[in-house]
Amino acid sequence: MALPGIVKKAVKPIYHFVHDTLFDTIDYNPLFPNKQGGKKIPRGHISAEHLANPQLDDQLSDNLVSAGIRVKDFYIEKVGYEAYMAAAKYPESYYGGGFDSSQNFVEKTLEHYVSTKFIDFMPETVFVDIAACTSPFSENIRSIYGVKTTYRQDLVFPKGVDNDRIGGYAHEIPLEDNSVDGITLHCSLEHFEGDSDTLFFQTAERILKPGGRVVVLPFYIADEYTIHLDPVFNLIKGHKPKVDPVAKLRYCNWYQYFSRHYDVNALQKRILEAAPGLDLTIYRVRNFKKVHPGSYLRFIGVFEKKRA
């Protein structure tokens, strides 16, 4: 049974205190392995290092191009974002509705807007938003562009298709082959554990129409293949994450199970080689900080199903 709101507010600071106190013991607490390959597991997100040092993204872009992966510059049109927001409808409860500066309302809505630059939304478009849960993005696509067929996929929904909801894992989408025009993932692909990322792109390759697209933003890539874990959160939740043994681990105090950042080799092996019918272009967003100082939309991955 769900706890009443007032109880949740009372319990939350206690939970955070316990969590944070345990996290501070990681270096010597036997509950948490603190070494990988004989070296101490580092702390913090690798993306923070890239945000602080754009030269790392310069080198990453060069490495991608050297591997035969297209990289193009992309600039967000602030006027376009403002026009989208004027037409869209977001509840105040959605990441604080823009009123709570500690939340990511602007980043999330900015990702939604940028998605519309890569999918040609028309009334006949068939669209799926992955890991959507309560996101209003698909409803906005319906109201702004007149799209008639949209789906929201999420693990929290009962398995199968029920009107506009698809339940189960993203790689279990039971839609017909060559039936979907566009798929979006907003801050979701990085949380796919084990082989769920590979399996999802194989499913996308199957259900997309030729020329259809998967748009991933942010597309989390870095100079080192990295998996981030919050070991305390996983312990409290009783969750054992599925970790790729070749990835470098990092511990983060951020109340999440798992987050993956690809390097060039992991991207090739886990996605491109597994779903060869998808053609990837990576867009490097050059002005995300100018649009909003709290934005972290460094890269966008656009996977297009090859035409016969």
Side-chain angles (χ1 to χ4, degrees):
M1 188 173 81
L3 292 173
I6 191 168
V7 176
K8 285 184 178 181
K9 288 183 179 180
V11 170
K12 188 174 182 179
I14 298 172
Y15 167 74
H16 282 196
F17 173 78
V18 172
H19 176 282
D20 296 349
T21 300
L22 272 175
F23 194 91
D24 289 340
T25 72
I26 283 177
D27 286 340
Y28 53 85
N29 192 325
L31 290 171
F32 311 111
N34 55 35
K35 289 188 177 180
Q36 182 187 36
K39 296 182 179 180
K40 180 181 176 181
I41 297 174
R43 309 291 189 264
H45 280 272
I46 194 169
S47 58
E49 297 174 9
H50 280 253
L51 286 166
N53 182 7
Q55 288 183 348
L56 291 174
D57 280 350
D58 293 339
Q59 185 60 57
L60 177 57
S61 296
D62 290 342
N63 292 343
L64 289 162
V65 172
S66 296
I69 299 171
R70 282 188 303 277
V71 179
K72 296 183 179 181
D73 287 344
F74 181 83
Y75 291 86
I76 300 170
E77 296 177 353
K78 191 172 183 179
V79 172
Y81 169 63
E82 292 169 349
Y84 166 80
M85 290 304 296
K89 294 180 181 179
Y90 287 92
E92 291 185 11
S93 59
Y94 187 70
Y95 289 93
F99 303 107
D100 186 347
S101 59
S102 68
Q103 298 195 54
N104 290 332
F105 178 79
V106 174
E107 171 66 23
K108 300 302 180 183
T109 55
L110 192 64
E111 292 170 14
H112 291 174
Y113 161 68
V114 173
S115 297
T116 68
K117 301 289 102 180
F118 296 100
I119 297 175
D120 188 13
F121 286 112
M122 298 181 289
E124 62 270 24
T125 298
V126 177
F127 168 66
V128 183
D129 193 20
I130 299 293
C133 194
T134 60
S135 170
F137 182 56
S138 60
E139 286 86 348
N140 282 323
I141 292 305
R142 283 176 175 268
S143 63
I144 296 172
Y145 298 97
V147 177
K148 296 177 182 178
T149 306
T150 66
Y151 296 99
R152 292 182 293 147
Q153 177 278 333
D154 204 282
L155 268 172
V156 302
F157 301 144
K159 196 170 181 178
V161 180
D162 181 14
N163 293 319
D164 71 332
R165 294 183 176 184
I166 301 176
Y169 287 97
H171 63 265
E172 298 175 326
I173 295 175
L175 297 179
E176 295 182 1
D177 295 2
N178 304 304
S179 64
V180 175
D181 296 286
I183 301 171
T184 54
L185 297 92
H186 305 104
C187 279
S188 57
L189 176 64
E190 65 274 14
H191 299 300
F192 287 18
E193 296 184 27
D195 293 332
S196 292
D197 57 335
T198 300
L199 294 172
F200 163 72
F201 279 100
Q202 291 174 334
T203 295
E205 182 182 24
R206 176 183 67 80
I207 66 175
L208 280 174
K209 298 175 184 177
R213 289 179 168 181
V214 176
V215 183
V216 183
L217 28 55
F219 190 43
Y220 284 113
I221 49 178
D223 60 340
E224 185 174 77
Y225 179 31
T226 304
I227 287 177
H228 307 84
L229 302 173
D230 183 334
V232 177
F233 186 81
N234 280 298
L235 177 68
I236 293 173
K237 295 290 186 178
H239 178 70
K240 187 175 182 179
K242 299 175 182 177
V243 175
D244 187 342
V246 304
K248 297 294 180 67
L249 294 181
R250 287 183 176 234
Y251 282 161
C252 300
N253 184 8
W254 96 122
Y255 304 91
Q256 297 285 339
Y257 295 113
F258 175 102
S259 175
R260 188 196 319 263
H261 286 45
Y262 301 92
D263 68 358
V264 176
N265 289 333
L267 172 59
Q268 289 177 314
K269 291 182 181 300
R270 298 191 65 84
I271 300 177
L272 300 182
E273 292 177 11
L278 298 179
D279 191 31
L280 171 63
T281 302
I282 293 178
Y283 291 85
R284 183 176 178 184
V285 184
R286 289 293 190 174
N287 65 333
F288 63 96
K289 284 291 185 183
K290 291 182 179 178
V291 174
H292 189 268
S295 177
Y296 44 85
L297 186 56
R298 296 164 40 231
F299 290 99
I300 305 160
V302 179
F303 298 80
E304 182 170 316
K305 184 168 179 175
K306 297 176 182 177
R307 302 175 189 272

